[in-house]
Amino acid sequence: MKVAVVTGASRGIGEAIARALAEEGYALAIGARSVERLKKLAEELGGEVFYHHLDVSRPESVEEFANKTIERFGKVDVVVANAGLGYFGRLEELGEEEFHEMIEVNLLGMWRTIKAFLRNLKETNGVVVAVTSDVSARLLPYGGGYTATKWAARALVKTFQIENPDVRFFELRPGAVDTYFGGSKPGKPKEKGFLKPEEVAEAVKYLLRLPKDVRVEELMLRSMYQKPEY
């Protein structure tokens, strides 16, 4: 049985990916800050699901989550580094704490997560799906701090790939998605340019079904209703 790790799995894109991988027959290790939501998701999914509190902004939390995952399953085949957050506004109005939190979660959190599982991924010739954003290679006015962390995360993933050719790194770059992101709530119409989390999860399923000798280095997907900006 293949084992997949999903961070930020309590809702939104992470929850949708966890559900999709459970349908694909993966055993799951899911982590997020909301243990109650994780517990509910694990109960709904059934099967081999391990859940544990995870705050990727804290090195000790990532280390504990990784250790307990390996203790439970003995290996890891896929790591979906999905945890992320965003604060928006003009750069000069962005608070120091907000900017620092985005760096801790979006950049350092991804680095910590990948690093914690890298040795095991090398043993299984595994896969990392790094969820960044369509703004990891373009600019976004009033989102400069968030965008900066996603550009940096993109550089991080590419460098991990160069240094670890025996592991496949997929950068998944979704555009606007109908989630709780940025303080909003789900329920936004597709006609406003939003993908559904389940559509992003379908892309992950596609990537993981590819032969092991195929490496998709990045995949950007956006709603047909979102303006094509590059």
Side-chain angles (χ1 to χ4, degrees):
M1 179 180 291
K2 290 188 176 181
V3 179
V5 170
V6 184
T7 70
S10 60
R11 60 186 185 181
I13 293 174
E15 178 184 349
I17 291 174
R19 291 184 184 278
L21 296 185
E23 292 173 358
E24 293 286 286
Y26 283 83
L28 293 174
I30 53 177
R33 288 181 290 186
S34 175
V35 177
E36 284 302 312
R37 290 197 188 105
L38 292 176
K39 179 181 178 181
K40 182 175 182 293
L41 177 59
E43 290 172 350
E44 291 176 6
L45 294 178
E48 288 289 326
V49 181
F50 166 72
Y51 67 92
H52 195 274
H53 176 268
L54 172 63
D55 181 351
V56 299
S57 70
R58 294 174 50 236
E60 64 275 16
S61 180
V62 176
E63 183 178 356
E64 181 181 16
F65 177 73
N67 289 340
K68 288 186 177 297
T69 296
I70 298 303
E71 287 176 9
R72 171 69 179 269
F73 296 111
K75 67 163 188 171
V76 169
D77 299 283
V78 176
V79 171
V80 181
N82 166 73
L85 56 83
Y87 295 106
F88 298 90
R90 297 177 63 89
L91 276 175
E92 69 268 27
E93 297 172 356
L94 184 66
E96 184 88 16
E97 291 184 3
E98 294 173 331
F99 207 154
H100 188 268
E101 187 178 2
M102 287 191 289
I103 292 171
E104 281 287 348
V105 174
N106 298 348
L107 179 59
L108 294 177
M110 181 171 288
W111 169 69
R112 293 178 184 120
T113 299
I114 294 172
K115 186 174 70 164
F117 289 102
L118 188 57
R119 181 175 62 82
N120 292 279
L121 289 167
K122 286 174 171 287
E123 294 173 355
T124 59
N125 295 117
V127 174
V128 173
V129 179
V131 182
T132 59
S133 170
D134 69 326
V135 301
S136 71
R138 70 177 179 90
L139 301 180
L140 179 66
Y142 308 102
Y146 175 75
T147 300
T149 64
K150 293 301 182 178
W151 278 60
R154 177 179 174 83
L156 189 82
V157 173
K158 303 301 186 191
T159 305
F160 263 124
Q161 181 64 87
I162 293 170
E163 295 176 348
N164 301 277
D166 45 349
V167 176
R168 290 182 294 163
F169 289 81
F170 298 154
E171 184 193 0
L172 184 63
R173 302 174 58 208
V177 184
D178 183 24
T179 67
Y180 288 93
F181 184 76
S184 64
K185 294 182 179 180
K188 299 176 282 295
K190 289 179 68 70
E191 289 74 17
K192 294 292 185 179
F194 290 89
L195 293 166
K196 298 301 179 182
E198 295 75 20
E199 294 170 328
V200 179
E202 283 295 318
V204 175
K205 287 165 65 174
Y206 160 76
L207 290 170
L208 297 180
R209 287 173 180 170
L210 292 171
K212 285 191 173 183
D213 59 353
V214 176
R215 185 177 68 238
V216 178
E217 297 182 356
E218 62 181 271
L219 176 63
M220 183 172 73
L221 63 158
R222 294 190 286 213
S223 166
M224 284 291 292
Y225 302 100
Q226 183 177 350
K227 182 180 179 181
E229 297 174 297
Y230 305 99

